[in-house]
Amino acid sequence: MAARSDLDVGGRRLAIGHLDSVVFPRTGTTKGEVLDYYVHVADVMLPHLRDRLLHMHRYPEGVEGPRFWQKGCPEHRPEWIPTAPVWSRDKGEAIAYCVVNELAALLWAVNIGSIELHTSLHRRDDLHRPTAIAFDLDPGPGAGLLECAEVALRVRAVLGDLGLDGRPKTSGGKGLQVYVPLDGRAAYAQTKPVARTLAEVLEAQTPERVVSRMARSLRTGKVLVDWSQNTEHKSMVCAYSVRAKERPTVSTPLRWDEVEAAVDRGDAAALVFEMGAVLERVTAHGDLFAPVLTERQPLRRDRGT
């Protein structure tokens, strides 16, 4: 790709610059290569971005440079990028979030340094009702990806006892995440306590391996089952987003048999995927995370929820 290019993307004009700049110094991965990845993954990624509030983690000088979180859509955004105004009690005003519904908007966000794309668990038209419950499995010091995989399998088992299906993906870093698709009728006021209760049950069963509380002093050698993401004000890294790590790893949807096999073999590397490998997986399997958008599971009292 050229150092600079004016692109026509679905009838939208985008001025894309600094394509040769190195975004991941350890691997030499350029901005142009990152943009090219997002072009090729867009068909499966855009449904997971569509009509949700975008939280941008921006790295304008690459992953080893300055970084900042941005919730409000920049004022210099193109006029064709929709926004969703959400009242912020802390700021005393509405935050206008970007909404990424098309390839041109996705490339625009990445072009301004948004290597990581995080989204709300709810859609813009219903701020209080998530479409999924999310469990973010985060290893403390002395634990790692395999320990998270073992806990993910236990999360699946508890969900199964409740008659619920969960779908795994990597965080793109050291952890795993499990999403429970919902029918959109339950509010966060219901889903967050359910997530917390499940995390506390796992901690009570194996306190030496699982923790449900955020205090770092409690996390050594354990996996945090983070239930606190289930709220209107937070976000989760979007499926297929690149992560700003040493290498361009990706938050990658998984099959449960892959999680089981990695645990059985003690092979954490089997659950780590970079951009090229993710595109190969999409070609081979399609969107393994599609059921998170299509399954409509209710939370019912007779399930213990």
Side-chain angles (χ1 to χ4, degrees), residues 133-135 137 151-168 177-182 191 194-195 197-199 201-202 205 256 297-299 303-305:
I133 297 175
F135 297 93
L137 310 181
V151 173
L153 294 174
R154 293 180 59 205
V155 170
R156 179 183 63 167
V158 174
L159 290 171
D161 290 341
L162 299 173
L164 292 170
D165 183 31
R167 299 285 172 162
Q177 297 164 349
V178 179
Y179 279 50
V180 183
L182 299 177
T191 62
V194 168
T197 297
L198 188 147
V201 166
L202 292 175
Q205 291 174 346
W256 279 116
Q297 301 182 109
L299 289 182
R303 282 176 168 169
T305 55

Side-chain angles (χ1 to χ4, degrees), residues 46-232:
L46 281 170
H48 299 283
L49 290 165
R50 187 165 291 122
D51 289 331
R52 296 180 190 270
L53 313 183
L54 182 68
H55 298 235
M56 294 181 287
H57 203 182
R58 294 179 60 182
Y59 295 75
E61 298 177 21
V63 299
E64 295 184 1
R67 63 193 68 183
F68 59 96
W69 278 100
Q70 185 165 8
K71 292 185 177 182
C73 206
E75 292 183 359
H76 60 75
R77 68 182 178 275
E79 62 180 10
W80 43 263
I81 291 183
T83 61
V86 179
W87 180 258
S88 170
R89 183 176 57 189
D90 293 339
K91 292 182 176 294
E93 60 183 8
I95 298 174
Y97 289 85
C98 297
V99 178
V100 172
N101 288 343
E102 58 181 301
L103 176 59
L106 173 58
L107 297 184
W108 170 82
V110 177
N111 183 55
I112 63 171
S114 307
I115 296 174
E116 295 190 7
L117 303 171
H118 297 236
T119 60
S120 59
L121 291 173
H122 55 269
R123 296 191 179 94
R124 61 182 297 184
D125 60 352
D126 198 339
L127 303 179
H128 305 296
R129 297 184 187 276
T131 61
I133 297 175
F135 297 93
D136 192 7
L137 310 181
D138 187 14
L145 190 52
L146 284 179
E147 286 77 11
C148 289
E150 292 173 352
V151 173
L153 294 174
R154 293 180 59 205
V155 170
R156 179 183 63 167
V158 174
L159 290 171
D161 290 341
L162 299 173
L164 292 170
D165 183 31
R167 299 285 172 162
K169 71 179 178 76
T170 72
S171 69
K174 296 179 180 179
L176 290 179
Q177 297 164 349
V178 179
Y179 279 50
V180 183
L182 299 177
D183 61 8
R185 292 188 293 174
Y188 282 110
Q190 297 168 271
T191 62
K192 188 173 183 179
V194 168
R196 180 172 185 171
T197 297
L198 188 147
E200 291 173 344
V201 166
L202 292 175
E203 180 180 24
Q205 291 174 346
T206 52
E208 74 283 358
R209 298 171 62 187
V210 174
V211 62
S212 65
R213 293 158 289 173
M214 296 292 293
R216 293 193 176 276
S217 60
L218 301 174
R219 295 176 57 186
T220 300
K222 303 178 183 181
V223 173
L224 170 66
V225 180
D226 187 356
W227 49 268
S228 69
Q229 301 297 101
N230 295 279
T231 180
E232 292 93 335

Side-chain angles (χ1 to χ4, degrees), residues 14-59:
L14 288 177
I16 305 291
H18 308 291
L19 294 178
D20 293 335
S21 63
V22 175
V23 177
F24 291 85
R26 305 295 177 92
T27 60
T29 305
T30 66
K31 179 181 179 181
E33 290 171 318
V34 174
L35 282 163
D36 188 64
Y37 162 78
Y38 277 112
V39 167
H40 286 90
V41 85
D43 283 350
V44 293
M45 185 178 188
L46 281 170
H48 299 283
L49 290 165
R50 187 165 291 122
D51 289 331
R52 296 180 190 270
L53 313 183
L54 182 68
H55 298 235
M56 294 181 287
H57 203 182
R58 294 179 60 182
Y59 295 75

